[in-house]
Amino acid sequence: MEEKIKYLEGRNARLEDSVQKLVHIVEDLDYRSKRENIIIYGIPEKNPENLEDLATSFFVKSMKCQASKIEIDGIHRLGPKRDKDRPIIAYMKTRKSKAHVMQHTKHLAGSSISISDQLPSKMKERRLNQLALFKKERSEKGGDRVKLIRDKLY
C-alpha cells in the first residue's frame, strides 16, 4: 500500500511540473500573439467611423509618425458600445511598425489620449505588482538605469 502511495505522489509531482511548464508555454504564446498589438485610449467614437484611417491620421498628425512606417493589419474597438468611449486595439503588421508608433508616444504628453502594449492579463498583474518597486528603484538609481520590460524589473 505504501509503495502505491509513493508511486502516486511521485506521479502527481511530475504531473504538476508538466502543468506548470504548459502554463508557462501558453503564457508565452499568448504574449507572442499580442506583441504587435497596441491599445489606444481616449479617442472619441463617431458613427460611422473608419478606424484604420482615423488611427493612421492620428499617428501622423498628432504623434508625428511617418505614414510610410505605419502598417495596420486590423483594428477595432474593444467591448460592447457603452456611454464612454471604448479603447481601440490596432494589430500592427510588424514589430518595427509598432516600435515606430511607440517611439512617438512622447508627443501625447499632456493629452487625454494614451497608448499601451497589449499584454496578457497575468503579465499585466505581475507588472502592476512590480510597479511600486520600479518607481522606488528608478528614483534611487536614476531614470535610465532601471527598466520594466514585460513583467520583469532590470
Side-chain angles (χ1 to χ4, degrees):
M1 186 66 135
E2 282 187 36
E3 286 180 24
K4 182 112 177 155
I5 291 173
K6 282 186 180 182
Y7 167 76
L8 291 173
E9 286 175 344
R11 184 172 178 200
N12 189 37
R14 287 190 302 277
L15 288 172
E16 285 178 0
D17 286 344
S18 295
V19 167
Q20 284 306 107
K21 287 177 186 174
L22 290 172
V23 165
H24 179 70
I25 289 169
V26 168
E27 281 182 8
D28 187 55
L29 289 172
D30 193 20
Y31 169 73
R32 288 171 189 265
S33 72
K34 295 177 179 180
R35 70 179 166 195
E36 283 90 17
N37 303 349
I38 58 173
I39 301 177
I40 309 164
Y41 300 92
I43 293 183
E45 289 190 52
K46 297 175 184 166
N47 270 341
E49 61 185 356
N50 181 337
L51 288 176
E52 189 166 347
D53 291 343
L54 178 74
T56 302
S57 69
F58 171 74
F59 294 149
V60 171
K61 291 176 185 171
S62 300
M63 295 177 59
K64 316 276 189 280
C65 293
Q66 294 176 11
S68 62
K69 292 187 176 183
I70 299 170
E71 300 175 90
I72 298 173
D73 195 29
I75 189 166
H76 64 87
R77 294 232 181 227
L78 290 172
K81 282 194 174 193
R82 52 183 191 228
D83 293 339
K84 63 182 197 172
D85 295 324
R86 298 174 292 163
I88 297 170
I89 184 164
Y91 308 98
M92 308 305 282
K93 283 186 181 176
T94 63
R95 278 190 274 170
K96 211 177 217 180
S97 180
K98 177 187 175 182
H100 178 70
V101 171
M102 296 305 280
Q103 287 170 351
H104 287 82
T105 56
K106 61 187 173 207
H107 296 290
L108 297 176
S111 77
S112 61
I113 298 172
S114 64
I115 294 180
S116 71
D117 292 313
Q118 184 187 22
L119 298 172
S121 56
K122 292 213 181 228
M123 190 178 290
K124 261 197 276 188
E125 219 173 89
R126 289 191 301 265
R127 189 179 171 100
L128 283 174
N129 292 337
Q130 294 277 3
L131 203 54
L133 180 61
F134 169 72
K135 287 179 180 179
K136 179 183 171 202
E137 292 284 323
R138 194 164 223 186
S139 67
E140 289 174 2
K141 293 183 179 177
D144 294 338
R145 295 186 181 165
V146 181
K147 295 187 190 278
L148 184 60
I149 300 173
R150 290 172 79 175
D151 60 342
K152 292 191 172 97
L153 194 60
Y154 296 96

